[in-house]
Amino acid sequence: MLTYNYFLVTGAAGQIAYSLLYSIAKGDVFGKDQPLVLLLLDITPMLPVLEGVVMELQDCALPLLREVIPTDKVDVAFKDLDAAILVGSMPRREGMERKDLLKANVAIFKSQGEALDKYAKKTVKVLVVGNPANTNCLIAAKSAPSIPKENFSCLTRLDHNRACFQVALRCGISANSVKNMIIWGNHSSTQYPDIHHCKVNVQGKDVTAFDAVKDDAWLKGEFISTVQQRGAAVIKARKLSSAMSAAKAICDHMRDIWTGTTEGEFFSMGVYSTGNPYGVPEDLIYSFPVSIKDKTWKIVDGLAINDFSRAKMDATAAELVEERDTAVSFLGV
């Protein structure tokens, strides 16, 4: 007999969740034979909106979805969880200093980490989406000492997917013909999209991204800045942040955790940096290339790093160290 799995989405009345919940509920993430219960957490003023989301999920008549539980209470939302997707966070408002944004989010993710520690299964897989995602993830992990830090990750798959499509577009091929892209570092404008280990399938043959694109200046310049600034470009065009693409990336990320990666392929995830083979400072959530087996990620080792890449990897690490130190100073407040 199949057991139900319990999956939480926070910020569940928001636009990312609205794009995400249908895919989870119909089995795109955790499998086509896995019955599930969805727990939807949001702040009290959003509960009426959440009721509408629940009605829509019910009206989809999805065979795997056994129950939808909307709530504003952490003891309900975090109980016995198999997976938690932490989408809700404090957005940066006009005139808000970065340290004020960090302080507000430390309070949110400290309380959610404590709730995970108290109520969730110790095997729970936690994906942090709400920005600043890397540092929010670190605070949540630090606030849940009984759950292994390896169970926490943050979303850089959206940046990874953006980078893959830019290369595919340039080569006139499909995005799934681009493999082993890497996003190093922070989910911010300092992130480093690295194509030095990327393989592109052109007419049935795998070649390097440099050989496929045949424009080194673009790959080392405009390509990187396009990926780094893509989120801001979407906001400028849509007047709203990325939702559809973020939801797709969340599904990709969680599905890879659940089902594993193909031999010889890797993807980008923000994971705990302690013990990493690339000289990245300890005690950060930093995006690395990872492979996954049995729901356990492993940083891909042995990739050559040239001086160009090292400088960019160090720059994004420096930003994360500063973010971490600022955020940790608020933990005792």
Side-chain angles (χ1 to χ4, degrees), residues 83-86 116 124-128 137 147 151-154 254:
I85 302 170
L86 308 184
L116 285 161
V124 65
K125 300 297 184 183
V126 183
L127 169 59
V128 175
C137 183
I147 297 171
N151 288 23
F152 289 81
S153 57
C154 85
M254 292 304 282

Side-chain angles (χ1 to χ4, degrees), residues 86 88-89 105-113 128 130 136 139-140 143:
L86 308 184
S89 65
N105 278 296
V106 163
I108 293 168
F109 285 87
K110 180 184 178 185
S111 69
Q112 293 189 350
V128 175
N136 288 344
I139 295 302
S143 303

Side-chain angles (χ1 to χ4, degrees), residues 40 45 60 63 83 111-112 122 127 136 144 157 173 194 203 209 227 232 250 293 301 305 310 328:
L40 309 182
C60 289
S111 69
Q112 293 189 350
K122 301 311 175 191
L127 169 59
N136 288 344
R157 186 60 168 269
I173 56 176
D194 179 4
Q203 295 177 337
V227 176
I250 292 165
K293 187 177 181 182
D301 200 354
I305 305 298
R310 173 53 61 189
V328 167

Side-chain angles (χ1 to χ4, degrees), residues 22-37:
Y22 174 70
S23 290
I24 294 175
K26 78 182 180 77
D28 288 353
V29 179
F30 302 109
K32 300 294 186 185
D33 58 356
Q34 177 57 64
L36 54 94
V37 174

